[in-house]
Amino acid sequence: MKKFILLLAVSGLLASCGSKIASSNFDKGEYDRVIAVLSDRLDENNADQNFMLAEAYRLSNRLKDAAPYYRNARNAGSSEPGVDYYYARALKANQQYDAAKEILTSFITKPRGDEKFQELAQIELDNIDKIDNLSDAQNYYRVKNLDDLNTQWAEYSPVIYNNLLYFTSNRSGGKIYGVTGTPFTDLYRVRTQGANVNIKTLQPLEPIINHPDINEGTMAVSADGASIVFAKGNSGKATGNNEVNLYFTRFRNGQWLTPRPLSINMPDSWDSTPAFTPDGNTLYFSSTRPGGYGGADIYSAQLNRRGRWVDVQNLGPQINTPGDEMFPFVSEDGKMYFASNGHPGFGGLDLFAATRRRGKISVENLGKPMNSSSDDFALYQFDLTRGFFSSNRPGGKGDDDIYTYINEDPDLKVVNYFVEGITYTTDDANNKIVLPNTKVSLLAENDEVVGESFTTEDGKFRFRVYAEEDYNLIGEKTDYFTTRKVFTTMDKTVDRTTLTEFITNVTFNTEIMMDRIVLEKAIVLNNIYYDLDKWDIRPDAAKVLDSLVLIMNDNPEIFIELGSHTDARAPDDYNMDLSQKRAKSAVDYIIGKGVKAERIVAKGYGETQLIVQSATTEEQHQKNRRTEFKVLRYNPKEQEDEEPEVEVNTSTNNVDEYDRFFDEDDGSGK
């Protein structure tokens, strides 16, 4: 598998290495050359040489081949802190699970072992203990090698758009990449009807995308086919892995434009394996940037209305582990499929499905035959029951191969939940009108951002939601108050036993009313009451003031005055003093909730601004006794005027002749 190379520091190795040539090659990341040099002159009793050779195999993604050299290094007394851990990983990749457990158990109990690697060893030991359960788990997958496409070289990361199968390969030969000893990879496309490939139509993508001296990696195609995002790097001209980045290009006037790096790339990090959500509003990718949970983690970025990717977020420890997580794919039923060697698996990278239930993420290994002790990765669904993935398992055509799969689970039923709505405002006559181009965010109960989008010209938005969860919908637009609306799917779950269709879509409707920010316009806070002649904040008033705190937090650009008014049934001086104390008490409460003092001032008006001048009834007096706020100053965010990075629209793929391929299956499941 040549799709990712993660370079790790090897402490104290180079100074004692038995071969200066190999040492120099290793320092440059030329692992295949290290293997060639040391294989000819290896001293089995030289711990440093054996550890370097083992690391060269591991870092060029040949972990199975590294096992005997980790063993030699260990037996020769290597002082490298990771030798036991990586030896066990190599044994696991060769399905020598009992031997791997023995090494890990011994290493964990060492009194002065390396703490970091001992923690990793414990995780690996726990994962190995779960292999039997993974093997026994029932599933209905059938897999088959895509023989018409695969070669002795690497083919991986399939993506389909409009009956075109895109993939990554080094099948055309060319210049050799020193890290792996194989040719640089390029992007290809071929006509296909489902899994029936027309190999005569195979061709590499244009030279403006493919470069003979650089690896082009995994790609993602926008829903309208007008844009692609792909990984590019690993030219071998720089040490480390900091040159691997995500690039984008658009199809204009019959040709692809010059690819440009995405703004979300992180210097000195490996950013790769991009994938769009079905609606095109979220980009998932894998990265080794600082602040993650281990090696490569999966991140998300949101598409803003100017066509740029923003708000990069790590998906958290429910998805990411101290190992590597990569190759995300979000399916039409809301599941995220990805590859990992950190979750419990059979050896190398395994395929997993992450499902959201009641606000929590559960991760499930897809089991055999989807997974093996080799690397299984880059799943792409053609529809909810079939698709493609990549693997370098034994029995393939060569290096990485593309496989097809079908899920024949007879009880497979899918329920999709959505919330859709429209953003509105009001005109001067208080008539409701549509408010387009409004940013709407869907937040889970813990304020996790589940989705973001901008409303269309007719004000519409739509999000996938999940059963039995509470949400907040947040509307944001320049010159309007950011508005928060509660939405829930609690007690609205469909009874699956009543379903007759394979796919059931449930849509909830709502709307968000947005108020324009008008300076000095008074807005009444209803139901704020005080005891007679007092200014203490009562519990019922606190609830209303908490809503103002939320408004202040959601609208950090506003500076307000909080005003208190009385009726006219006491002397003027008394009412003025009482209203000032009440206003200050309310402001102090709000500041105590974390709002900066400079953003809010207290103002007592007494009876100087009566709504009902000659009040006679208690209802009229209550109208005069009120608390209001008004915006004194508003500092809207400056909008960046940048060129869009990608254009993404919603569309769907159609199932064509995919079944015909499996009709020719020999029943072996291979």
Side-chain angles (χ1 to χ4, degrees):
M1 184 184 65
K2 306 300 187 292
K3 74 293 300 174
F4 75 106
I5 304 294
L6 304 178
L7 303 184
L8 305 176
V10 183
S11 62
L13 175 62
L14 299 181
S16 59
C17 181
S19 170
K20 293 183 179 179
I21 297 175
S23 174
S24 176
N25 292 144
F26 194 97
D27 192 39
K28 296 175 182 177
E30 298 171 344
Y31 301 124
D32 194 66
R33 294 168 188 167
V34 172
I35 293 170
V37 170
L38 288 182
S39 295
D40 291 338
R41 63 188 71 181
L42 182 67
D43 178 359
E44 291 188 3
N45 296 316
N46 186 310
D48 291 333
Q49 281 190 0
N50 278 275
F51 188 74
M52 174 179 279
L53 182 55
E55 286 288 89
Y57 275 115
R58 180 178 71 85
L59 295 172
S60 60
N61 208 56
R62 288 171 274 186
L63 183 58
K64 289 182 178 181
D65 298 327
Y69 307 108
Y70 282 127
R71 181 192 63 225
N72 291 346
R74 187 170 178 267
N75 292 341
S78 173
S79 61
E80 292 296 332
V83 64
D84 292 290
Y85 172 70
Y86 290 125
Y87 180 35
R89 287 276 306 274
L91 290 171
K92 179 185 176 185
N94 284 284
Q95 302 184 67
Q96 299 178 36
Y97 301 133
D98 290 338
K101 289 175 64 174
E102 183 178 346
I103 297 297
L104 292 169
T105 302
S106 173
F107 177 58
I108 289 169
T109 57
K110 282 185 178 180
R112 289 183 296 275
D114 183 272
E115 183 177 347
K116 171 191 171 184
F117 280 106
Q118 283 186 326
E119 291 177 358
L120 292 173
Q122 184 62 62
I123 294 172
E124 193 61 58
L125 184 60
D126 294 340
N127 287 347
I128 291 177
D129 285 336
K130 298 174 183 177
I131 287 178
D132 288 342
N133 292 334
L134 297 179
S135 300
D136 294 339
Q138 183 182 23
N139 65 61
Y140 298 89
Y141 288 106
R142 287 196 295 132
V143 305
K144 186 175 181 180
N145 190 292
L146 191 57
D147 292 308
D148 291 344
L149 182 65
N150 294 316
T151 67
Q152 62 176 316
W153 304 103
E155 285 84 23
Y156 63 89
S157 290
V159 177
I160 283 186
Y161 175 77
N162 195 26
N163 294 328
L164 285 174
L165 174 65
Y166 295 86
F167 64 99
T168 308
S169 179
N170 54 11
R171 63 193 294 140
S172 296
K175 294 186 177 181
I176 300 299
Y177 180 39
V179 174
T180 61
T182 57
F184 285 91
T185 55
D186 288 327
L187 295 171
Y188 292 79
R189 62 173 171 255
V190 64
R191 286 280 175 190
T192 183
Q193 293 289 329
N196 297 288
V197 173
N198 182 356
I199 199 65
K200 294 180 180 179
T201 65
L202 177 71
Q203 57 183 209
L205 268 61
E206 288 75 0
I208 200 169
I209 294 174
N210 288 325
H211 191 285
D213 295 336
I214 297 177
N215 285 310
E216 283 76 33
T218 302
M219 67 178 287
V221 185
S222 65
D224 62 356
S227 304
I228 63 173
V229 173
F230 64 98
K232 187 181 185 74
N234 281 343
S235 67
K237 296 179 180 179
T239 59
N241 218 35
N242 56 356
E243 59 180 328
V244 182
N245 287 307
L246 295 173
Y247 285 74
F248 74 97
T249 180
R250 295 190 293 274
F251 197 74
R252 289 282 178 82
N253 301 321
Q255 62 183 355
W256 292 105
L257 303 181
T258 301
R260 297 175 57 191
L262 288 182
S263 60
I264 58 176
N265 291 318
M266 180 70 71
D268 300 321
S269 296
W270 177 88
D271 298 300
S272 188
T273 69
F276 295 116
T277 51
D279 63 9
N281 292 323
T282 302
L283 176 69
Y284 290 99
F285 64 99
S286 185
S287 177
T288 60
R289 62 189 58 198
Y293 292 88
D297 281 6
I298 297 177
Y299 291 78
S300 66
Q302 304 298 324
L303 186 66
N304 69 13
R305 67 187 179 92
R306 295 178 179 271
R308 297 189 67 81
W309 297 107
V310 297
D311 299 337
V312 174
Q313 299 289 331
N314 187 296
L315 295 196
Q318 293 175 306
I319 297 290
N320 295 313
T321 71
D324 300 310
E325 282 71 42
M326 52 191 68
F327 299 99
F329 173 82
V330 179
S331 97
E332 292 287 348
D333 63 352
K335 289 184 179 180
M336 171 178 281
Y337 294 88
F338 64 98
S340 171
N341 58 20
H343 289 279
F346 294 99
L349 290 172
D350 274 19
L351 290 165
F352 295 85
T355 305
R356 187 182 181 104
R357 297 185 181 94
R358 297 181 181 270
K360 295 183 178 181
I361 304 296
S362 62
V363 174
E364 177 186 10
N365 188 298
L366 296 191
K368 296 180 178 180
M370 295 293 286
N371 289 316
S372 66
S373 62
S374 301
D375 287 320
D376 307 287
F377 58 99
L379 181 145
Y380 183 91
Q381 281 189 347
F382 190 65
D383 65 21
L384 290 174
T385 63
R386 64 204 76 201
F388 303 91
F389 70 98
S390 308
S391 179
N392 62 356
R393 62 185 61 187
K397 297 286 285 289
D399 191 342
D400 296 323
D401 280 1
I402 295 175
Y403 288 77
T404 59
Y405 78 87
I406 186 167
N407 185 358
E408 297 177 324
D409 185 349
D411 296 323
L412 184 61
K413 289 186 175 63
V414 176
V415 182
N416 296 314
Y417 297 93
F418 301 95
V419 58
E420 63 181 30
I422 300 176
T423 49
Y424 291 101
T425 188
T426 54
D427 59 16
D428 293 338
N430 208 35
N431 297 313
K432 189 166 67 173
I433 56 175
V434 168
L435 188 65
N437 300 317
T438 302
K439 180 182 178 181
V440 180
S441 303
L442 179 71
L443 273 60
E445 193 173 14
N446 61 354
D447 282 341
E448 169 200 0
V449 177
V450 180
E452 289 181 349
S453 68
F454 284 82
T455 59
T456 57
E457 289 301 316
D458 51 5
K460 293 182 179 180
F461 62 88
R462 178 181 173 90
F463 294 109
R464 175 183 294 278
V465 291
Y466 302 87
E468 305 302 318
E469 292 193 38
D470 292 321
Y471 298 97
N472 279 297
L473 287 163
I474 310 292
E476 300 176 70
K477 188 175 177 66
T478 302
D479 296 335
Y480 290 81
F481 285 104
T482 295
T483 302
R484 181 180 295 251
K485 181 167 185 176
V486 173
F487 171 77
T488 185
T489 58
M490 299 296 290
D491 300 321
K492 298 177 182 179
T493 302
V494 173
D495 184 355
R496 291 174 57 86
T497 63
T498 65
L499 299 179
T500 58
E501 300 295 328
F502 172 53
I503 300 177
T504 300
N505 292 327
V506 179
T507 301
F508 307 102
N509 293 289
T510 188
E511 62 182 43
I512 300 176
M513 184 61 65
M514 307 282 291
D515 293 319
R516 180 179 287 276
I517 295 175
V518 180
L519 297 183
E520 301 289 344
K521 178 183 178 181
I523 300 173
V524 177
L525 296 171
N526 294 314
N527 302 319
I528 293 185
Y529 304 117
Y530 297 89
D531 293 329
L532 182 64
D533 294 335
K534 293 184 178 180
W535 49 88
D536 298 333
I537 302 300
R538 295 178 6 178
D540 52 353
K543 292 181 180 179
V544 180
L545 291 176
D546 285 341
S547 67
L548 182 55
V549 171
L550 195 59
I551 291 173
M552 295 293 288
N553 290 336
D554 287 342
N555 296 270
E557 304 89 3
I558 64 172
F559 297 75
I560 72 167
E561 172 194 283
L562 189 143
S564 179
H565 301 259
T566 67
D567 58 32
R569 291 186 292 183
D572 292 352
D573 292 345
Y574 174 85
N575 283 336
M576 184 64 73
D577 180 64
L578 179 62
S579 65
Q580 182 63 38
K581 289 178 178 177
R582 287 177 171 176
K584 185 178 185 306
S585 179
V587 166
D588 288 344
Y589 177 88
I590 291 171
I591 293 173
K593 292 291 185 176
V595 176
K596 292 182 179 179
E598 59 265 27
R599 293 185 59 210
I600 183 169
V601 296
K603 176 70 173 178
Y605 286 92
E607 57 184 89
T608 61
Q609 294 185 3
L610 298 175
I611 295 177
V612 182
Q613 292 294 328
S614 301
T616 57
T617 67
E618 184 58 33
E619 181 180 359
Q620 291 173 331
H621 288 305
Q622 181 59 58
K623 285 185 178 181
N624 288 330
R625 296 194 306 271
R626 66 197 186 277
T627 301
E628 300 173 336
F629 79 91
K630 57 186 177 183
V631 178
L632 301 178
R633 193 166 89 248
Y634 169 54
N635 298 333
K637 298 177 184 177
E638 293 185 6
Q639 298 292 332
E640 295 182 352
D641 187 17
E642 297 177 296
E643 181 180 349
E645 290 187 320
V646 65
E647 299 171 353
V648 185
N649 297 315
T650 301
S651 72
T652 58
N653 287 325
N654 296 317
V655 178
D656 292 306
E657 299 179 11
Y658 200 96
D659 286 324
R660 189 175 69 187
F661 182 75
F662 275 95
D663 289 341
E664 302 170 1
D665 190 88
D666 60 3
S668 67
K670 296 182 179 178

